[in-house]
Amino acid sequence: MTTSRSPRRRGLAVLGVAALVVAACSDPPTSGGNADVAAGDGDEAELPDCPVDALEDAEGPVEVTLWFGGLAGSANVAMRQIVDAFNASQDQVVVNASDQGVSYAEVYREFTSAASAGDDQLPDMIYLEDTQLQAMADSGKVLPAQACMEAADYDITDLEPAVRSKYSVGGVLYPAYMNVSTPVLYYNKAHWERAGLDPSDPPETLEEVWEHARAIKEAGVADKPLSLKTTRWFFETWLTGVGVDMVDEGNGRDGLATEATFATEEAEELMTMLKEMDDEGLVNAFANTEGSIDHYLALVTQESSMLIETSTASTTIRDALGGTITAEQAGVDFDPSAIDLSVLVPGTGPFPGIEEPGQVFPSGGAFYLLNTSSPEEVAASWAFMEFMLQPENAKIWHLQGGYLPVVKDVEDEPEVQEFWQHDLAGVLLQPAAEQLSDADPDRSGPLIGPYPDVADAVEAAMEGILFDDQDVSSALTRAQERATEALERYAG
């Protein structure tokens, strides 16, 4: 079996999606632990000092640098908007935001290169994917944001519980702000209507996805109804939802993981189900290739009817449609008699789990404060992070960038309520926001040091099963052995 390669039929709307989709294509992921600040069983973590008051003694504006990357389209615009708003709001700090590349990986490579050259080569703040959390905590270069929050009397419980849990290492919150997303199901309501399905009732489990895909194919609406990227993110989310750990040490939450544990009965059943769906011709499968947008295009060009992807893709889908569908037309009051059923009418539903819907953990990018800066620069950097944590500013990441609210009060902002009702991206994002609020903090996903190596092993197994017809059990066992070798090397 070979990788599905859909023809690239790109109309004007689809041409516009290429630049916008880069941020949404970046998998959101995970990682874990720095023993210097980690708490023991039942103990309070010993936090380093955060000089939040040092800005008062600074002479003139303090300039600080933020490195970021992996943000394109509306997310990049949001980054610039927030920096400009902060710089205009006061005269003590100037933030210089420097785009280091089109992917998170490029930014991390810049960080490791600069760190090896000396602390004076590093920025004051850095934005990285959550897959780097373990490595950043272990680097000794990060000032845990919780130290600054406590010093500034910021109430950490203002952040969503699942977000705090996901981005904490040894009971300590490391990033100061997080741009998070969750996987959701996008589906074409027009295809539902043409196949005789209820457009207001998306599938809630993988079994139901299978049933819907079969009905759509049998109705002749789409040849391969489910567009699926073979990413470890979905694999991890499915297993975490049923309580299966990817690695030992409590999924890396109780200590440094040294052994992979995902080749379980549940994983075999999961991959067997996907393989059987693929064998029936119901899956439009795509390799997780950096920068590829083919899995999006399958939905936009209506080659497929469903897409499991990041909630951040909502803005991409809205912009790709270019105003051809309104929020009201795609919303809960969807009226098939008033819509051309030959066009894409997007809807979203919770992530379809193995047993129940919405069993997710947050993933995405994170803003770190580096401890290699002077006290004045640390204080200046914290001032910027504190600015972003204010609901009236945090909402920009949701409204403009397509990320989910991590500050609880953001959802109460009038603009956000309006966005959810009258903007197509908002209509698509609301189920993901509700899914995040309901996420279980005790199932926050794995913390892994050598994340790229483990991800490569998992995705090689997924591709081998779906593209090369490999035996499910053997493929998962090989992947687990390969991942364990990487974990053991990392632990040294």
Side-chain angles (χ1 to χ4, degrees), residues 420-433:
W420 285 352
Q421 294 180 35
H422 301 300
D423 189 291
L424 179 56
V427 169
L428 298 176
L429 273 170
Q430 188 175 7

Side-chain angles (χ1 to χ4, degrees), residues 193 333-341:
E193 182 68 21
D333 296 325
F334 169 75
D335 179 4
S337 66
I339 300 221
D340 180 359
L341 294 180

Side-chain angles (χ1 to χ4, degrees), residues 82-142:
I82 290 170
V83 170
D84 290 345
F86 172 73
N87 287 339
S89 70
Q90 43 74 52
D91 56 11
Q92 287 185 298
V93 179
V94 176
V95 172
N96 298 307
S98 177
D99 193 336
Q100 298 293 305
V102 298
S103 71
Y104 291 114
E106 288 186 61
V107 187
Y108 187 63
R109 285 194 293 268
E110 288 293 330
F111 169 78
T112 55
S113 176
S116 65
D119 290 351
D120 60 342
Q121 302 297 308
L122 291 169
D124 305 287
M125 298 169 280
I126 191 166
Y127 176 71
L128 294 167
E129 194 175 33
D130 60 346
T131 46
Q132 276 93 39
L133 176 58
Q134 174 83 73
M136 290 303 290
D138 290 341
S139 73
K141 305 290 186 185
V142 176

Side-chain angles (χ1 to χ4, degrees), residues 118-371:
D119 290 351
D120 60 342
Q121 302 297 308
L122 291 169
D124 305 287
M125 298 169 280
I126 191 166
Y127 176 71
L128 294 167
E129 194 175 33
D130 60 346
T131 46
Q132 276 93 39
L133 176 58
Q134 174 83 73
M136 290 303 290
D138 290 341
S139 73
K141 305 290 186 185
V142 176
L143 175 62
Q146 187 169 335
C148 298
M149 291 175 175
E150 291 191 6
D153 293 325
Y154 177 81
D155 187 354
I156 198 171
T157 64
D158 286 346
L159 299 173
E160 288 286 351
V163 175
R164 298 200 312 268
S165 176
K166 164 61 191 292
Y167 289 90
S168 290
V169 177
V172 175
L173 180 65
Y174 268 75
Y177 192 87
M178 294 70 67
N179 280 343
V180 306
S181 57
T182 62
V184 294
L185 178 76
Y186 296 93
Y187 67 106
N188 188 345
K189 291 186 175 183
H191 283 198
W192 254 239
E193 182 68 21
R194 287 161 54 191
L197 300 170
D198 182 354
S200 66
D201 187 23
E204 296 188 338
T205 64
L206 272 177
E207 286 281 1
E208 291 183 10
V209 168
W210 196 342
E211 294 168 3
H212 281 65
R214 187 178 287 144
I216 290 166
K217 185 178 179 70
E218 290 175 352
V221 177
D223 188 43
K224 293 186 175 183
L226 175 63
S227 177
L228 179 68
K229 182 172 64 173
T230 54
T231 168
R232 55 88 208 162
W233 186 29
F234 305 154
F235 181 85
E236 289 170 2
T237 305
W238 275 314
L239 292 186
T240 299
V242 291
V244 174
D245 290 346
M246 291 289 293
V247 293
D248 65 349
E249 294 293 339
N251 224 8
R253 299 282 167 180
D254 299 330
L256 187 64
T258 58
E259 181 182 0
T261 60
F262 55 77
T264 61
E265 180 180 344
E266 293 86 352
E268 288 191 26
E269 291 176 354
L270 165 66
M271 292 310 303
T272 298
M273 183 186 304
L274 293 176
K275 184 178 184 301
E276 290 178 356
M277 288 178 63
D278 188 49
D279 289 344
E280 283 189 38
L282 303 176
V283 178
N284 206 357
F286 298 91
N288 186 20
T289 304
E290 185 175 342
S292 173
I293 62 172
D294 284 358
H295 57 302
Y296 288 93
L297 295 178
L299 184 71
V300 173
T301 62
Q302 301 195 60
E303 293 166 8
S304 295
S305 307
M306 291 178 274
L307 169 70
I308 297 175
E309 248 303 341
T310 172
S311 55
T312 312
S314 57
T315 54
T316 299
I317 292 172
R318 175 199 62 192
D319 296 342
L321 292 174
T324 56
I325 294 292
T326 67
E328 288 74 17
Q329 288 173 323
V332 293
D333 296 325
F334 169 75
D335 179 4
S337 66
I339 300 221
D340 180 359
L341 294 180
S342 68
V343 302
L344 169 63
V345 184
T348 47
F351 179 75
I354 294 176
E355 295 178 350
E356 57 184 308
Q359 299 298 296
V360 299
F361 54 84
S363 297
F367 292 86
Y368 295 93
L369 302 166
L370 298 187
N371 60 19

Side-chain angles (χ1 to χ4, degrees), residues 402-414:
Y403 293 102
L404 301 178
V406 298
V407 179
K408 294 176 183 176
D409 290 346
V410 165
E411 295 186 7
D412 298 327
E413 289 283 314

Side-chain angles (χ1 to χ4, degrees), residues 375-425:
E376 293 81 5
E377 290 164 336
V378 169
S381 298
W382 166 247
F384 175 62
M385 296 300 170
E386 196 170 27
F387 178 84
M388 282 204 293
L389 287 165
Q390 297 170 14
E392 62 269 26
N393 301 318
K395 71 182 179 185
I396 296 173
W397 279 119
H398 185 54
L399 299 175
Q400 301 296 330
Y403 293 102
L404 301 178
V406 298
V407 179
K408 294 176 183 176
D409 290 346
V410 165
E411 295 186 7
D412 298 327
E413 289 283 314
E415 282 185 78
V416 172
Q417 294 292 320
E418 181 80 5
F419 177 64
W420 285 352
Q421 294 180 35
H422 301 300
D423 189 291
L424 179 56

